[in-house]
Amino acid sequence: IRLRADKGAQARWWSSSCIPSFCFVGAPRSGTLALLGATLAHSDVVPPSRRTLRFFTKPQLAAAAARSTSATFLSRLVATYSDLFPSIDPRDFRLTGEATPTYFYSPLAASFFASPNLRLARLVLLLRNPTTRTLSALERDASVPSTDVVERAFAAFRRCGAERLYAGCVQGHAFAAAGQRDAPPREGCASSELQDVTAPPALWQSFYHLFLPTWLAASAGRLLVLFSEIVEREPARTFVPRLHAFIGLPAPQPEATH
């Protein structure tokens, strides 16, 4: 909350700079933005400057975070992030939030939302059948030959085993769950080769088990994990109110009849 003074140095009015009350953190190609749309349609939600901010996925920000663990850096991070959201008078009791599907894979996002500053924020993670999600992502990215990605991954899986294949995922090693993996070496399964096999995001972004434990541990009680196949089968009239209730939005009041 910021106090503003007039020319006579008297506080006349105040405004607030908001941190999000909710965030949809993933996963890509799973329907995350559709859930955001259903939430932004609520009358008590004020949208951010952009629906998808991608704030924690910026390489320069991740590099700065790796060099600094001070409380000052976290304070600056909170201030910079909150500037992307609208100023809401707390007396209005309205919420704001965003959705960036790739936050699920960002160590910076995981640690940020686990900080005391964000202890009231609700997080929603929407997952999709890993095979279906991978194929959908490959179809979207025409620059990557989907058949080649799938065949190389399957060949590495048969030759090296699942543990070695997952251990080759460089992105997963940024999370504690992946760092604790100590897959035994196997002949013909060089780490450099497996890193190349798992490099396409369409593939490694479906290795949910490398990232989910960190989010569950850091955001216990504040993280709602959903599965798109189940959500699609549930009627919107029951699912949307349940989602809104988790975020902290009131149920819409029935219109008065005359």
Side-chain angles (χ1 to χ4, degrees), residues 133-142 144-146 149-150 200 202-203:
R133 200 216 69 83
T134 295
L135 294 176
S136 175
L138 288 171
E139 290 175 0
R140 181 187 178 94
D141 188 0
V144 180
S146 58
V149 170
V150 173
L203 185 62

Side-chain angles (χ1 to χ4, degrees), residues 191-244:
S191 297
S192 57
E193 177 195 357
L194 294 175
Q195 290 173 9
D196 184 55
V197 169
T198 59
L203 185 62
W204 65 260
Q205 286 182 348
S206 294
F207 296 166
Y208 303 143
H209 67 289
L210 299 183
F211 308 92
L212 185 56
T214 297
W215 284 92
L216 290 174
S219 306
R222 299 189 296 113
L223 176 65
L224 176 64
V225 181
L226 301 170
F227 297 91
S228 59
E229 289 81 6
I230 297 177
V231 170
E232 290 170 359
R233 293 198 297 265
E234 184 175 351
R237 67 178 182 275
T238 60
F239 169 73
V240 173
R242 185 161 62 88
L243 174 64
H244 288 175

Side-chain angles (χ1 to χ4, degrees), residues 1 12-16 18 87-94:
I1 297 176
R12 293 296 184 187
W13 59 277
W14 54 275
S15 64
S16 62
C18 296
S87 294
I88 302 175
D89 189 326
R91 295 169 296 185
D92 290 340
F93 298 102
R94 303 179 76 188

